[in-house]
Every structure is written in structure tokens, then in C-alpha cells.
Amino acid sequence: MGKEDNAASHTFMLNAKFLLILFVVIANCIEPLIQQSAVFHSLYLGIYTFHIPMFVMVTGYFSKNFRLDVTGIKSLQMIFYHYLIFQSLYSLLDSLAFHAPGVRYSFFIPYSLLWFLFSHFCWRLLLLLFTKMQHPLVFSVILGILVGYAPFSGTMLSFSRTLVFFPFFLVGYYFHLNMIPKQIVRMNKWLSAIVLLGVLIFLNVIPLDPKWLYSSFTNRELGSFYWYTGGYRLGVYALESIASFCFLSFVPRKPSILTEWGKYTVYVFLLHALITKTAISMGLFSHVHTSAQMTLVLLLAVALTWLLSQEWVRRFSRPLIEPNLSLWERWLAEKYRA
């Protein structure tokens, strides 16, 4: 693949990355309202059919150069740093202010969205094994199905989500823009919208328990511990793949401000929950009832994503999110050479 193809793929994935973090923020902002709004409930389920699988895929794409060398170890170190700092910070804030229901304070049970950091660390290590296999994607799907039969909680060490979403990480690792079938590239956006609408209708007809889309629960925890339950997971994979293909048809291919913002989604990812969980703990969502107020919540979610993408926010929070670890890195480099 030539440099132009690489550049086009890179731009495409950065654009997708920003759009996906936007959907992450929207989903987290409307979650407190899905019990009182059928529209928000459908939107929430629809977003969950693609935003996590696709975000995992994009993360896999940007892990293409991962090796267990100095650079690779530094990337693992940064992921671990983010998890250590924000797991501690969010757990402390929850115990003092948020008081989210069902939270267990443990370093080994990632707090809320921080499961993604723990899983990302594991996905990179799994690459070292799976990239040496024949048919790694097939084997990863089988593992994603089998993990549902585990006799322990899927939330421990983010075990379930790590294996369930790993196939999407592998797809991203092997992805380049030419892999998208021409039929998908030429797909009319109206057709994609119709297919996504069909997915929403399907989700409401079943109806599908959102826990299947979260993928953090084993079959036993989902109340479906039967020999054939793995077929349900395979069906969810199919549903997520269809919705993801439709999402890809909306992603711009040309460089734009979205491309620039896509480089800094880690700031949005790590910081937005501080605001959303504060709003929940203050009871602000209990005052949202009318359609106009719910529309305002959507607009505020978009505004929050834009705000946390701004350079001044990055400058202010960079010491926490991207600290200067040069002394540690020099020591690590010398240790590696030795």
C-alpha cells in the first residue's frame, strides 16, 4: 500500500475517531434519560450497536506499529498510567460525590468507561500472539463467544469485554481503506440511514437487553446460560457489523477540522465523564422532561465534545493526561538496550 493510501486511511480513521467520541459523549449524556424517553432509548441502543465496536476498531488501526520494543513499552506505560490515575481519581470522586449505584471500588474492576483502557492494554499484548496465527480473526470470534460461558464475573479485569471486542481490534489492525468494498463506498447515505433505522426497529421489536451490547456480562449474568447462547453472541456480532458498515459510509474521507480533533480524543474520553457524572450526581437530569429540554441535552453533548477538543483545554490538562515522562523513558531505553 502506497503513501497516498496510507495517508487516506489515516485521515479516514481520524475522522471516524472524532465522530465516535462524539457518540460516546452523546450516549453517556442521554443514558440517564432513556427510561423516560422512548426516542432516547432507541437512540441509545442504536449508538451502542456501532460506537464501541468501531472505537475498538479505530484503536486497533492506530496500534499497527505496536511492537514490544522501547516505543511499544512506552505506549503500554502511558495506557497503564492513564488507567492508574483515572481509576484512582474517578473512584475517589465517586466515593465522595458521584455515588453511582453498584460501584465496587477495586483496581481490578475498571470504573465505568475506564474498562476501555484496561482492555486496550490487553489487546496490544494479545496482538503479539494473534498476529502469528493463521486465521486470527476466526479464532478471536470463537474466543469472544466462548468467554460468555466463563463461570466468573465478566467485569473482573474487564475480561469479557476484552475478548468480546477483540475481533474488532484485529479488524482495525489489519485495516486499510481499500478493504472497504466498493459497494459500501458507493452506498447512498440514505440507504445507510434506512438500514440503521431498520436496526433500531429490530432492537425495539426483540427487544434486546442492552447488556448484550455492553458485552461486560457472561451468559450466566445475562440469565441465558444455555449451550446455544453463544449463537446469540454471534447474532450480536452480525448486528454490530451491519451497523458499523453503515456508520463507515458517513465518515468523511477528506482532511478537515474533524481530522485535527480526531488526534486528541483521549482528552474528551478521559475528561467528559467528570462533567456528566457531576451533572447526574447534582440531579440536573431530573429536571429534563420536555422534548425541547431533551434536544438541549443533545446539543450540550455536542458542545461538550467540541469544548474538550479545544487547544486551551489540552494545554490546561496536558500535565495530567500527557505528563513529561522523559526521565523514566531514558531509564527504560537504557534498561532495554542493556
Side-chain angles (χ1 to χ4, degrees):
M1 189 168 59
K3 290 183 178 180
E4 290 185 3
D5 291 332
N6 274 326
S9 295
H10 195 76
T11 297
F12 179 79
M13 295 304 270
L14 284 174
N15 290 340
K17 195 179 177 188
F18 177 76
L19 292 176
L20 288 165
I21 198 64
L22 172 61
F23 280 114
V24 168
V25 177
I26 289 174
N28 288 336
C29 285
I30 69 174
E31 185 177 11
L33 303 170
I34 61 176
Q35 299 303 321
Q36 67 186 68
S37 168
V39 173
F40 270 11
H41 185 266
S42 295
L43 177 61
Y44 180 79
L45 288 179
I47 290 173
Y48 260 90
T49 58
F50 68 85
H51 86 306
I52 296 180
M54 284 291 92
F55 211 99
V56 174
M57 176 188 166
V58 169
T59 304
Y61 175 84
F62 288 106
S63 302
K64 280 181 180 291
N65 297 322
F66 176 73
R67 303 290 184 275
L68 205 57
D69 52 14
V70 172
T71 302
I73 292 174
K74 284 162 59 177
S75 69
L76 291 176
Q77 165 196 303
M78 185 57 71
I79 297 169
F80 179 78
Y81 164 81
H82 284 154
Y83 181 76
L84 177 65
I85 295 300
F86 282 89
Q87 176 74 359
S88 303
L89 176 61
Y90 276 109
S91 296
L92 177 62
L93 288 174
D94 190 275
S95 65
L96 295 176
F98 299 157
H99 305 302
V103 173
R104 294 170 59 190
Y105 303 118
S106 170
F107 183 80
F108 302 104
I109 301 178
Y111 182 86
S112 188
L113 77 170
L114 298 181
W115 71 267
F116 196 92
L117 296 175
F118 199 98
S119 291
H120 186 192
F121 188 95
C122 297
W123 290 328
R124 290 201 168 208
L125 294 178
L126 286 171
L127 277 179
L128 302 176
L129 173 63
F130 275 75
T131 52
K132 296 177 181 178
M133 295 179 179
Q134 289 186 339
H135 312 299
L137 184 58
V138 173
F139 190 50
S140 68
V141 170
I142 292 173
L143 273 181
I145 294 172
L146 291 179
V147 70
Y149 296 93
F152 46 82
S153 174
T155 58
M156 182 64 68
L157 298 176
S158 191
F159 186 74
S160 178
R161 277 170 160 166
T162 297
L163 294 183
V164 169
F165 288 120
F166 184 57
F168 294 100
F169 189 85
L170 275 178
V171 169
Y173 179 80
Y174 289 111
F175 175 86
H176 56 81
L177 205 53
N178 293 335
M179 288 176 61
I180 301 179
K182 292 182 179 179
Q183 292 84 353
I184 300 296
V185 174
R186 296 170 184 165
M187 183 182 290
N188 186 287
K189 289 181 174 57
W190 282 107
L191 177 58
S192 295
I194 291 171
V195 174
L196 285 174
L197 180 61
V199 170
L200 288 179
I201 294 172
F202 177 76
L203 291 172
N204 282 278
V205 169
I206 302 178
L208 181 69
D209 187 335
K211 291 180 180 178
W212 280 98
L213 300 174
Y214 300 160
S215 301
S216 55
F217 302 93
T218 62
N219 298 343
R220 187 182 299 278
E221 291 173 309
L222 289 166
S224 182
F225 194 67
Y226 307 106
W227 66 267
Y228 54 80
T229 303
Y232 297 162
R233 173 57 62 195
L234 196 58
V236 172
Y237 273 143
L239 186 68
E240 290 171 334
S241 298
I242 291 170
S244 296
F245 275 127
C246 291
F247 165 77
L248 289 175
S249 71
F250 288 97
V251 177
R253 291 173 172 247
K254 295 181 179 180
S256 67
I257 189 61
L258 300 184
T259 316
E260 183 65 19
W261 288 341
K263 298 175 183 178
Y264 305 107
T265 55
V266 65
Y267 287 85
V268 184
F269 176 77
L270 292 173
L271 297 176
H272 82 275
L274 292 172
I275 298 171
T276 57
K277 289 188 177 295
T278 297
I280 293 171
S281 66
M282 293 175 64
L284 297 183
F285 286 95
S286 63
H287 300 289
V288 178
H289 303 291
T290 67
S291 297
Q293 290 169 337
M294 291 184 182
T295 301
L296 179 61
V297 170
L298 283 176
L299 294 175
L300 288 174
V302 175
L304 177 60
T305 308
W306 171 82
L307 176 67
L308 295 179
S309 300
Q310 300 309 297
E311 195 278 332
W312 68 268
V313 174
R314 299 197 301 271
R315 185 171 62 250
F316 177 76
S317 57
R318 185 170 289 120
L320 178 65
I321 294 178
E322 294 184 289
N324 185 352
L325 302 176
S326 57
L327 290 176
W328 165 257
E329 290 169 358
R330 282 200 297 270
W331 176 86
L332 182 65
E334 292 173 1
K335 195 79 172 175
Y336 183 80
R337 284 196 297 270

